[in-house]
Amino acid sequence: MPGKKQAGHPPKGKSLRTTLVIYLLIGTLLPLLIVGFISYTSIYSILSGKIGSGISASLRQEALSLENAIDNLDFASKQFALDGQIVEEMSSFLQEKQIYRKSQMMNSINQKINLVNFTNPYIGLTAYIMPDSDDPVLFTNMSTRRGFDLSSLPSFMRYNGADYYGPHGTMYAVGDNVVFSERRIVRVSGQHELYIYLETNYSLLRKIFNQEAYGMKVNHLLVNQSGTLTHVIDGEVPERIVQQAGRSGGSAHEVLNGYHLFRYESPQGWKLVAVVKRSVFNSEIYTWIYKMILLALFTLLFAGFLAWLIWRRVYGPLRKVNLEIIRMAENVTTPVAFTNVEEFDSVLSNFQQMKDQVNELILAVARNEKQKSQFEIEKLLSQINPHFLHNTLNTVQWLARLNGQKEIDKLVTLLVKVLHYNLGKQSIIVTIGEEIEAIRNYMELQRIRYDYEFEFNVEADPEVLSAAVPRFLLQPLVENSIYHGLSDNGKVDVIITAHGTNEVQLIVKDNGAGMDQAKIEELLAEETVRRRGLGIGFAYVMRMLRVYYGEQMSLDILSGESGGTTVSIIIPIMSKEDFND
């Protein structure tokens, strides 16, 4: 009839089972995707930082070990080449004609060689070489190969007046180990050309480059000082990676053609590069991704199974409701039996518990990584103990005085003063008088080291000695003059005078080879702070002046290719209270 709804079957709608499954899957997977995405971005950053920091720390430790090995070679070679007693014996040996006297000298020299090698376990083959002789090997602690020729060895660097080679096969007659070697000239009387040749210990390189320190496969590349030779120390590396690894200006960490390259540039001039395949580098991250995929699949299966269980649990109560409706039509007085279904709340509670556990895991990983970084820093700091160093030097000083070693006493006293000034806990702001005193001590050390081969003079107006300056301002400039600006009969002058009414001028001048205008402009450029070599000490001075004086200071370099370099700094006269130290 019109206007009257006819009774009949209800319109066909969606199945409760299908809707329940869809809603349950959405409610389960959507939070998982959000948490998975957040977890991935967080954990990827954490794991990448952890792996990169671990490789960089291990690489630096290996580089420091190699630097130490080279310093040991340098120290031992100076004992053989600069020690007056053994050099005098070598001169006498070369000039002596009597067989008996030469035999006595040979025994004495061999004893000294064996003594140095016994006290320095990092040194291997040691030999005095005279290239012009029929038998170039005069003295050695081990038998050497026939046809001993240093010209075929790969050049590594020039450091502290000596030539270094390597890595190359040992010159030991019955050895096949890879070593580093050094050649230093020995200045003896007469027209003889004599060198001291030393190699590192036969097992030193295996100890330095240890794969177990990384926990993954890492290949090492070693680039010489000039950047012309790149050695593959272990494993196989594609040629294009070898060529790119040693290029100048490369960043400390970069990704190139599927490889991670970690670089360490040594102050000695060479570079050590760790090469890691991207797949190896990301293996820990891939493992985490696989686990997340498995977790997602497990969650999906669990959601389907849970939907099936919930459907079964809901379908039974629905039938009871339907029966109650039918019974209500038959018997109105029959009480209704209500059914409470709690599975949905249980699922949500379980999911929330899972999400809380994941969040707790992320926080725990972050805390652990932070603690690990702090522990690594504390470990590095604990390796540097100036207090222990001062106590040890004081002990050496006491022993030198006790045994009447005045030269050693003087040397250690100067070294203690320099270390106390450079590593001490006093304020970063000092007076010009204190800075001059520190420079005098430092230069006296250098003059002893270079056997007084250069002059050093300081001229300072008494009225400016109490002016305050940043600590360690002049020593880098003086150090640059020594290492890069001195020639034969060198001379370094430090002149400090009042400039105008309220300024002071600090001048460091040498009589070295000088530099062209392009080099001066390069030193004064902003990019100097990121350079090494000649610019690193100068960059420190530039940063100090800009931080503490800003536009109030001026710095000029006067030099020419004809010789001599003068660095002039003009700063305002200030007291310690004027600085915000």
Side-chain angles (χ1 to χ4, degrees), residues 15-39:
S15 169
L16 177 61
R17 179 173 57 188
T18 303
T19 304
L20 184 62
V21 171
I22 294 174
Y23 286 172
L24 186 59
L25 291 178
I26 293 175
T28 304
L29 291 180
L30 184 59
L32 179 64
L33 291 176
I34 295 175
V35 173
F37 175 76
I38 297 174
S39 302

mmCIF file of all heavy atoms in Angstrom, residues 15-39:
data_model
loop_
_atom_site.group_PDB
_atom_site.id
_atom_site.type_symbol
_atom_site.label_atom_id
_atom_site.label_comp_id
_atom_site.label_asym_id
_atom_site.label_seq_id
_atom_site.Cartn_x
_atom_site.Cartn_y
_atom_site.Cartn_z
ATOM 1 N N SER A 15 29.596 -8.230 4.705
ATOM 2 C CA SER A 15 29.732 -9.270 5.719
ATOM 3 C C SER A 15 30.487 -8.724 6.925
ATOM 4 O O SER A 15 31.470 -7.988 6.783
ATOM 5 C CB SER A 15 30.471 -10.476 5.126
ATOM 6 O OG SER A 15 30.832 -11.381 6.148
ATOM 7 N N LEU A 16 29.980 -9.081 8.090
ATOM 8 C CA LEU A 16 30.671 -8.673 9.319
ATOM 9 C C LEU A 16 32.064 -9.267 9.380
ATOM 10 O O LEU A 16 33.004 -8.632 9.858
ATOM 11 C CB LEU A 16 29.852 -9.090 10.539
ATOM 12 C CG LEU A 16 30.488 -8.803 11.906
ATOM 13 C CD1 LEU A 16 30.717 -7.317 12.098
ATOM 14 C CD2 LEU A 16 29.628 -9.379 13.030
ATOM 15 N N ARG A 17 32.197 -10.475 8.886
ATOM 16 C CA ARG A 17 33.503 -11.124 8.893
ATOM 17 C C ARG A 17 34.502 -10.350 8.034
ATOM 18 O O ARG A 17 35.638 -10.103 8.449
ATOM 19 C CB ARG A 17 33.354 -12.559 8.403
ATOM 20 C CG ARG A 17 34.668 -13.321 8.349
ATOM 21 C CD ARG A 17 34.431 -14.773 8.028
ATOM 22 N NE ARG A 17 33.710 -14.921 6.775
ATOM 23 C CZ ARG A 17 33.230 -16.080 6.308
ATOM 24 N NH1 ARG A 17 33.377 -17.167 7.041
ATOM 25 N NH2 ARG A 17 32.590 -16.131 5.151
ATOM 26 N N THR A 18 34.090 -9.936 6.793
ATOM 27 C CA THR A 18 34.988 -9.173 5.925
ATOM 28 C C THR A 18 35.361 -7.825 6.542
ATOM 29 O O THR A 18 36.531 -7.410 6.543
ATOM 30 C CB THR A 18 34.342 -8.957 4.561
ATOM 31 O OG1 THR A 18 34.002 -10.232 3.998
ATOM 32 C CG2 THR A 18 35.281 -8.221 3.621
ATOM 33 N N THR A 19 34.335 -7.136 7.054
ATOM 34 C CA THR A 19 34.586 -5.841 7.686
ATOM 35 C C THR A 19 35.512 -5.976 8.889
ATOM 36 O O THR A 19 36.428 -5.153 9.098
ATOM 37 C CB THR A 19 33.257 -5.212 8.119
ATOM 38 O OG1 THR A 19 32.395 -5.106 6.981
ATOM 39 C CG2 THR A 19 33.487 -3.826 8.713
ATOM 40 N N LEU A 20 35.309 -7.005 9.679
ATOM 41 C CA LEU A 20 36.133 -7.228 10.867
ATOM 42 C C LEU A 20 37.584 -7.483 10.486
ATOM 43 O O LEU A 20 38.515 -6.941 11.095
ATOM 44 C CB LEU A 20 35.566 -8.403 11.659
ATOM 45 C CG LEU A 20 36.256 -8.729 12.990
ATOM 46 C CD1 LEU A 20 36.151 -7.565 13.950
ATOM 47 C CD2 LEU A 20 35.662 -9.989 13.597
ATOM 48 N N VAL A 21 37.761 -8.285 9.430
ATOM 49 C CA VAL A 21 39.129 -8.577 8.986
ATOM 50 C C VAL A 21 39.814 -7.310 8.472
ATOM 51 O O VAL A 21 40.971 -7.022 8.780
ATOM 52 C CB VAL A 21 39.118 -9.674 7.912
ATOM 53 C CG1 VAL A 21 40.503 -9.820 7.285
ATOM 54 C CG2 VAL A 21 38.678 -10.993 8.506
ATOM 55 N N ILE A 22 39.089 -6.517 7.638
ATOM 56 C CA ILE A 22 39.674 -5.292 7.096
ATOM 57 C C ILE A 22 40.048 -4.313 8.202
ATOM 58 O O ILE A 22 41.174 -3.774 8.240
ATOM 59 C CB ILE A 22 38.703 -4.637 6.092
ATOM 60 C CG1 ILE A 22 38.537 -5.532 4.857
ATOM 61 C CG2 ILE A 22 39.227 -3.257 5.679
ATOM 62 C CD1 ILE A 22 37.478 -5.025 3.884
ATOM 63 N N TYR A 23 39.096 -4.071 9.105
ATOM 64 C CA TYR A 23 39.367 -3.128 10.194
ATOM 65 C C TYR A 23 40.517 -3.628 11.078
ATOM 66 O O TYR A 23 41.364 -2.841 11.540
ATOM 67 C CB TYR A 23 38.113 -2.915 11.028
ATOM 68 C CG TYR A 23 37.073 -2.060 10.354
ATOM 69 C CD1 TYR A 23 35.807 -1.905 10.914
ATOM 70 C CD2 TYR A 23 37.340 -1.403 9.168
ATOM 71 C CE1 TYR A 23 34.839 -1.105 10.293
ATOM 72 C CE2 TYR A 23 36.393 -0.622 8.535
ATOM 73 C CZ TYR A 23 35.148 -0.481 9.100
ATOM 74 O OH TYR A 23 34.209 0.302 8.482
ATOM 75 N N LEU A 24 40.531 -4.905 11.325
ATOM 76 C CA LEU A 24 41.580 -5.434 12.194
ATOM 77 C C LEU A 24 42.947 -5.332 11.526
ATOM 78 O O LEU A 24 43.945 -4.988 12.176
ATOM 79 C CB LEU A 24 41.277 -6.883 12.554
ATOM 80 C CG LEU A 24 42.205 -7.531 13.585
ATOM 81 C CD1 LEU A 24 42.176 -6.762 14.892
ATOM 82 C CD2 LEU A 24 41.827 -8.984 13.826
ATOM 83 N N LEU A 25 42.984 -5.601 10.207
ATOM 84 C CA LEU A 25 44.256 -5.472 9.502
ATOM 85 C C LEU A 25 44.728 -4.018 9.481
ATOM 86 O O LEU A 25 45.914 -3.735 9.667
ATOM 87 C CB LEU A 25 44.119 -6.008 8.080
ATOM 88 C CG LEU A 25 43.939 -7.523 7.950
ATOM 89 C CD1 LEU A 25 43.773 -7.907 6.489
ATOM 90 C CD2 LEU A 25 45.112 -8.263 8.564
ATOM 91 N N ILE A 26 43.787 -3.088 9.221
ATOM 92 C CA ILE A 26 44.166 -1.667 9.227
ATOM 93 C C ILE A 26 44.640 -1.253 10.617
ATOM 94 O O ILE A 26 45.672 -0.575 10.771
ATOM 95 C CB ILE A 26 42.968 -0.802 8.768
ATOM 96 C CG1 ILE A 26 42.664 -1.066 7.289
ATOM 97 C CG2 ILE A 26 43.287 0.677 8.984
ATOM 98 C CD1 ILE A 26 41.421 -0.338 6.792
ATOM 99 N N GLY A 27 43.895 -1.633 11.635
ATOM 100 C CA GLY A 27 44.266 -1.253 13.003
ATOM 101 C C GLY A 27 45.574 -1.862 13.457
ATOM 102 O O GLY A 27 46.239 -1.333 14.355
ATOM 103 N N THR A 28 45.935 -2.998 12.833
ATOM 104 C CA THR A 28 47.181 -3.660 13.234
ATOM 105 C C THR A 28 48.378 -3.186 12.411
ATOM 106 O O THR A 28 49.446 -2.913 12.952
ATOM 107 C CB THR A 28 47.023 -5.184 13.105
ATOM 108 O OG1 THR A 28 45.904 -5.611 13.875
ATOM 109 C CG2 THR A 28 48.272 -5.902 13.604
ATOM 110 N N LEU A 29 48.209 -3.096 11.085
ATOM 111 C CA LEU A 29 49.338 -2.791 10.212
ATOM 112 C C LEU A 29 49.686 -1.305 10.164
ATOM 113 O O LEU A 29 50.858 -0.948 10.024
ATOM 114 C CB LEU A 29 49.046 -3.290 8.792
ATOM 115 C CG LEU A 29 49.009 -4.813 8.630
ATOM 116 C CD1 LEU A 29 48.718 -5.176 7.187
ATOM 117 C CD2 LEU A 29 50.320 -5.430 9.072
ATOM 118 N N LEU A 30 48.685 -0.414 10.235
ATOM 119 C CA LEU A 30 48.982 1.011 10.146
ATOM 120 C C LEU A 30 49.919 1.472 11.266
ATOM 121 O O LEU A 30 50.936 2.127 10.994
ATOM 122 C CB LEU A 30 47.690 1.826 10.141
ATOM 123 C CG LEU A 30 47.876 3.340 9.964
ATOM 124 C CD1 LEU A 30 48.586 3.636 8.643
ATOM 125 C CD2 LEU A 30 46.542 4.054 10.025
ATOM 126 N N PRO A 31 49.613 1.159 12.526
ATOM 127 C CA PRO A 31 50.588 1.540 13.569
ATOM 128 C C PRO A 31 51.947 0.886 13.371
ATOM 129 O O PRO A 31 52.982 1.491 13.646
ATOM 130 C CB PRO A 31 49.923 1.065 14.862
ATOM 131 C CG PRO A 31 48.468 1.010 14.546
ATOM 132 C CD PRO A 31 48.390 0.579 13.120
ATOM 133 N N LEU A 32 51.949 -0.365 12.860
ATOM 134 C CA LEU A 32 53.232 -1.038 12.632
ATOM 135 C C LEU A 32 54.056 -0.304 11.577
ATOM 136 O O LEU A 32 55.270 -0.149 11.714
ATOM 137 C CB LEU A 32 52.978 -2.481 12.200
ATOM 138 C CG LEU A 32 54.242 -3.308 11.899
ATOM 139 C CD1 LEU A 32 55.076 -3.475 13.158
ATOM 140 C CD2 LEU A 32 53.865 -4.663 11.322
ATOM 141 N N LEU A 33 53.375 0.154 10.505
ATOM 142 C CA LEU A 33 54.090 0.890 9.465
ATOM 143 C C LEU A 33 54.651 2.204 9.990
ATOM 144 O O LEU A 33 55.783 2.584 9.676
ATOM 145 C CB LEU A 33 53.153 1.152 8.282
ATOM 146 C CG LEU A 33 52.744 -0.077 7.463
ATOM 147 C CD1 LEU A 33 51.733 0.313 6.396
ATOM 148 C CD2 LEU A 33 53.957 -0.736 6.833
ATOM 149 N N ILE A 34 53.846 2.909 10.789
ATOM 150 C CA ILE A 34 54.320 4.187 11.341
ATOM 151 C C ILE A 34 55.516 3.955 12.267
ATOM 152 O O ILE A 34 56.551 4.616 12.161
ATOM 153 C CB ILE A 34 53.174 4.899 12.086
ATOM 154 C CG1 ILE A 34 52.066 5.277 11.091
ATOM 155 C CG2 ILE A 34 53.699 6.136 12.807
ATOM 156 C CD1 ILE A 34 50.843 5.868 11.748
ATOM 157 N N VAL A 35 55.339 2.989 13.173
ATOM 158 C CA VAL A 35 56.433 2.699 14.103
ATOM 159 C C VAL A 35 57.645 2.159 13.349
ATOM 160 O O VAL A 35 58.795 2.485 13.668
ATOM 161 C CB VAL A 35 55.956 1.696 15.177
ATOM 162 C CG1 VAL A 35 57.125 1.257 16.051
ATOM 163 C CG2 VAL A 35 54.871 2.316 16.034
ATOM 164 N N GLY A 36 57.402 1.322 12.315
ATOM 165 C CA GLY A 36 58.517 0.786 11.531
ATOM 166 C C GLY A 36 59.273 1.883 10.816
ATOM 167 O O GLY A 36 60.505 1.860 10.765
ATOM 168 N N PHE A 37 58.544 2.861 10.237
ATOM 169 C CA PHE A 37 59.208 3.958 9.545
ATOM 170 C C PHE A 37 60.030 4.797 10.512
ATOM 171 O O PHE A 37 61.193 5.127 10.244
ATOM 172 C CB PHE A 37 58.163 4.836 8.841
ATOM 173 C CG PHE A 37 58.747 6.056 8.193
ATOM 174 C CD1 PHE A 37 59.436 5.956 6.999
ATOM 175 C CD2 PHE A 37 58.619 7.304 8.792
ATOM 176 C CE1 PHE A 37 59.988 7.084 6.394
ATOM 177 C CE2 PHE A 37 59.172 8.429 8.201
ATOM 178 C CZ PHE A 37 59.857 8.312 7.000
ATOM 179 N N ILE A 38 59.414 5.127 11.651
ATOM 180 C CA ILE A 38 60.154 5.918 12.654
ATOM 181 C C ILE A 38 61.349 5.133 13.167
ATOM 182 O O ILE A 38 62.460 5.672 13.334
ATOM 183 C CB ILE A 38 59.214 6.323 13.798
ATOM 184 C CG1 ILE A 38 58.098 7.241 13.273
ATOM 185 C CG2 ILE A 38 59.993 7.010 14.917
ATOM 186 C CD1 ILE A 38 57.049 7.580 14.300
ATOM 187 N N SER A 39 61.136 3.829 13.390
ATOM 188 C CA SER A 39 62.236 2.999 13.894
ATOM 189 C C SER A 39 63.358 2.906 12.875
ATOM 190 O O SER A 39 64.540 2.961 13.209
ATOM 191 C CB SER A 39 61.718 1.605 14.243
ATOM 192 O OG SER A 39 60.694 1.674 15.199
#
